């Protein structure tokens, strides 16, 4: 019997002298109590050393995924030939063992006895493989584990959506800051020109006008056409001539202008961050984005922690995600549970009437659960058009069309229900009037 053993230094192939020792898995460890007993039980047949850390990382990455790496394939091809192909091969990982059996046509063993055998080899590894000190082996283990951890953090699909989570959280923080700063600008400058607050509603346009105009007395000589449309510009200039605001100093207008600069710069960065988030969502979760939009989709991912975690949630959980406090409060008070959470802000739910919002939220959540699983776990279709865009949300488009059909169906049903009730009331009134006349 042959035994394949992977070490941080390379691949080792052992030959076991007596196969019957694996018949009792509970007593396998007795054959590895001492180095002498281990050498009598098993002998090293071949050893293939890794040339550098890069080769070791590539090999261990393939082993983790249950694949046969290039180095392992070459090693087994060179060492298992002739009569060895008729022997059994002990492999620690069942997935890797199945791949080796399919590739080389050799019988692979991955039972409990083989696991005990590998555990015994690991305990006496320095005695079975000569030329490698324990200190060197420990250093190789540490270096390879660090390299593998860095590789997993860099290429793990769970970590790709971290950028989306950070971006949507920052976007929400920027919105709060913008609202605070804009309110402060309007309150501060409102002492000088209170009428402009009602004329210009947009916060960014208000900040740009204040920065461009300065004192309200400059309104007549200031060109605001680059900031405001012609009608609003004329209204602002007319209001400036009859304004009831108080006078302020140059130092006051300087500080107000600096605050306006902050509002403008944060607004520009927010627009840039939104474009970044939109592109990231289109790349990572295109079907979910097509169905509920990039902002709602990003908030769902952020609330769950990752796209993979979100894909494991049922549709009923996705429907009320973000309304956990209201749910537990309703359960505690034995009231009606909430019908929607973050998904309420999806455009398809917003289009629905008040009486069918709950049904639409359930429908959107059901289809969103399918779209999320396609984005997180789906693979490219081999029969698909090779000229088509791989990031195209084909499933999302199809699901959105079904949800829109369902919305139209519910709206028509609600409209017919209202008409039927009105006709019923009208018929009942006529009947009552008839019997009243007879009486």
């Amino acid at each position: 019997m042959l035994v394949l053993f992977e070490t941080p230094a390379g691949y080792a192939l052992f030959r076991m002298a007596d196969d019957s020792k694996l018949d009792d898995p509970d007593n396998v460890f007795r054959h590895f109590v001492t180095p002498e007993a281990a050498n009598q039980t098993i002998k090293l047949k071949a050893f293939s050393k890794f040339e550098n850390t890069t080769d070791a990382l590539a090999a261990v990455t393939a082993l983790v995924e249950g694949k046969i790496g290039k180095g392992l394939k070459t090693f087994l091809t060179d060492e298992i030939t002739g009569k060895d192909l008729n022997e059994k091969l002990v492999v620690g990982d069942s997935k890797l063992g199945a791949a080796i059996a399919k590739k080389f046509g050799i019988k692979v063993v991955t039972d409990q006895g083989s696991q005990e055998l590998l555990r015994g080899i690991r305990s006496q590894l320095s005695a079975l493989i000569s030329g490698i000190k324990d200190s060197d082996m420990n250093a190789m283990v540490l270096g390879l584990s660090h390299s593998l951890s860095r590789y997993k953090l860099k290429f793990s699909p769970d970590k790709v959506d971290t950028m989306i989570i950070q971006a949507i959280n920052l976007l929400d923080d920027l919105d709060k800051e913008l609202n605070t700063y804009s309110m402060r600008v309007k309150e501060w400058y409102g002492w000088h020109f209170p009428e402009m607050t009602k004329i210009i509603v947009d916060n960014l346009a208000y900040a740009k006008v204040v920065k461009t105009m300065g004192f309200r007395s400059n309104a007549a000589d200031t060109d605001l056409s680059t900031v405001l449309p012609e009608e609003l510009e004329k209204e602002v200039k007319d209001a400036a001539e009859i304004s009831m605001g108080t006078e302020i100093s140059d130092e006051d207008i300087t500080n107000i202008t600096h605050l306006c600069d902050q509002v403008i710069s944060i607004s520009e960065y927010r627009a840039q961050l939104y474009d970044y988030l939109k592109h990231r969502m289109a790349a990572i979760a295109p079907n979910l984005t097509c169905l509920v939009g990039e902002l709602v989709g990003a908030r769902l991912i952020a609330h769950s922690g990752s796209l993979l975690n979100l894909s494991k949630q049922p549709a009923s959980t996705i429907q009320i995600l973000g309304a956990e406090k209201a749910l537990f409060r309703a359960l505690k008070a034995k009231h009606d549970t909430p019908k929607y959470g973050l998904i309420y802000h999806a455009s398809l739910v917003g289009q629905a009437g008040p009486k069918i919002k709950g049904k639409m939220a359930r429908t959107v959540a059901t289809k969103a659960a399918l779209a999320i699983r396609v984005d997180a776990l789906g693979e490219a279709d081999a029969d698909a058009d090779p000229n088509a865009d791989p990031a195209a949300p084909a499933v999302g488009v199809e699901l959105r069309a079904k949800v829109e059909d369902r919305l139209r169906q519910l709206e028509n049903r609600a409209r017919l229900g209202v008409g039927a009730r009105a006709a019923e009331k009208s018929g009942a009134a006529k009947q009552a009037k008839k019997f009243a006349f007879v009486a």
Side-chain angles (χ1 to χ4, degrees):
M1 179 181 287
L2 300 175
V3 181
L4 176 64
F5 190 82
E6 308 91 10
T7 72
Y11 298 111
L13 189 65
F14 295 94
R15 184 183 295 279
M16 193 171 182
D18 187 4
D19 299 354
S20 61
K21 292 180 179 179
L22 291 181
D23 295 340
D24 187 7
D26 295 335
N27 292 320
V28 171
F29 74 95
R30 299 181 186 277
H31 304 292
F32 293 91
V33 174
T34 62
E36 293 77 14
N39 278 301
Q40 290 178 2
T41 304
I42 202 164
K43 296 288 184 181
L44 181 64
K45 182 179 184 295
F47 185 78
S48 175
K49 189 175 182 180
F50 296 134
E51 294 183 0
N52 49 46
T53 308
T54 305
D55 291 343
L57 179 60
V60 75
T61 303
L63 291 173
V64 168
E65 296 174 356
K67 299 178 181 178
I68 305 175
K70 185 178 180 182
L72 179 59
K73 180 180 178 182
T74 304
F75 176 65
L76 294 177
T77 304
D78 295 341
E79 299 300 333
I80 302 179
T81 57
K83 295 181 180 180
D84 294 336
L85 291 173
N86 298 324
E87 295 196 32
K88 296 178 181 178
L89 178 66
V90 174
V91 180
D93 184 58
S94 58
K95 192 174 180 181
L96 177 63
I100 292 175
K102 183 178 180 181
K103 181 68 178 177
F104 296 95
I106 189 172
K107 187 174 181 181
V108 176
V109 181
T110 57
D111 56 8
Q112 183 183 355
S114 63
Q115 298 298 326
E116 294 294 333
L117 177 62
L118 294 173
R119 188 175 290 112
I121 294 174
R122 192 176 296 111
S123 65
Q124 298 293 344
L125 190 60
S126 59
L128 295 171
I129 302 177
S130 59
I132 300 179
K133 299 178 182 179
D134 288 340
S135 58
D136 295 339
M137 184 64 73
N138 292 334
M140 292 176 186
V141 170
L142 184 62
L144 186 57
S145 62
H146 286 176
S147 299
L148 181 61
S149 298
R150 282 194 294 268
Y151 176 84
K152 282 190 171 183
L153 286 174
K154 185 176 181 181
F155 295 104
S156 173
D158 296 343
K159 299 300 176 182
V160 174
D161 47 26
T162 303
M163 305 305 166
I164 289 178
I165 296 172
Q166 298 297 331
I168 189 63
N169 289 336
L170 178 57
L171 199 69
D172 292 339
D173 291 341
L174 289 178
D175 287 338
K176 292 178 184 177
E177 293 295 326
L178 271 175
N179 288 335
T180 303
Y181 284 8
S182 300
M183 181 181 67
R184 186 62 55 207
V185 168
K186 288 184 177 181
E187 288 183 359
W188 202 347
Y189 193 74
W191 287 97
H192 179 59
F193 192 0
E195 293 81 6
M196 194 172 78
T197 306
K198 295 182 179 179
I199 299 173
I200 303 176
V201 180
D202 183 65
N203 294 330
L204 180 59
Y206 190 95
K208 288 182 177 179
V209 169
V210 172
K211 181 183 177 182
T212 305
M213 181 173 61
F215 294 104
R216 70 167 185 264
S217 57
N218 300 330
D221 301 328
T222 304
D223 183 17
L224 302 175
S225 59
T226 57
V227 181
L228 298 174
E230 185 178 350
E231 301 81 13
L232 283 181
E233 182 183 4
K234 184 177 184 303
E235 194 173 349
V236 168
K237 291 183 176 181
D238 292 343
E241 295 179 358
I242 57 173
S243 176
M244 300 294 292
T246 184
E247 298 295 330
I248 56 176
S249 64
D250 292 337
E251 186 178 2
D252 295 332
I253 201 66
T254 301
N255 285 284
I256 295 173
T257 305
H258 287 164
L259 185 56
C260 292
D261 290 335
Q262 293 289 326
V263 172
I264 294 170
S265 62
I266 293 176
S267 299
E268 291 174 350
Y269 176 62
R270 189 204 177 280
Q272 178 187 346
L273 183 65
Y274 176 73
D275 290 338
Y276 165 78
L277 178 64
K278 188 158 73 170
H279 293 147
R280 294 296 295 177
M281 282 295 295
I284 294 172
N287 295 290
L288 178 62
T289 304
C290 179
L291 191 62
V292 300
E294 52 274 345
L295 291 178
V296 176
R299 288 193 174 96
L300 289 173
I301 293 173
H303 198 81
S304 298
S306 71
L307 182 62
L308 190 60
N309 289 343
L310 185 61
S311 67
K312 298 175 183 177
Q313 304 294 337
S316 57
T317 301
I318 295 174
Q319 180 181 347
I320 60 170
L321 210 62
E324 289 83 0
K325 288 185 178 180
L327 173 65
F328 292 123
R329 188 166 57 245
L331 292 174
K332 185 177 179 180
K334 296 182 180 180
H335 292 161
D336 294 337
T337 55
K339 296 179 180 179
Y340 29 66
L342 292 169
I343 209 166
Y344 175 82
H345 300 286
S347 60
L348 290 169
V349 179
Q351 293 172 13
K355 294 185 178 180
I356 61 173
K357 275 190 187 295
K359 292 181 179 180
M360 276 307 300
R362 184 166 64 248
T363 304
V364 172
T366 304
K367 302 304 181 185
L370 298 177
I372 292 163
R373 287 164 192 168
V374 171
D375 291 331
L377 308 171
E379 296 180 357
D381 188 2
D383 300 330
D385 185 5
N387 298 323
D389 184 6
V395 176
V397 172
E398 181 181 351
L399 293 175
R400 187 178 180 90
K402 291 181 179 179
V403 175
E404 289 174 348
D405 290 341
R406 174 65 174 165
L407 175 60
R408 285 191 291 270
Q409 181 184 0
L410 290 173
E411 287 177 343
N412 291 335
R413 189 181 300 175
R415 197 178 299 115
L416 291 174
V418 171
R421 284 193 296 272
E424 184 179 350
K425 288 181 180 179
S426 176
K430 288 182 179 178
Q431 194 75 3
K433 185 177 182 182
K434 178 180 177 181
F435 283 119
F437 180 75
V438 171

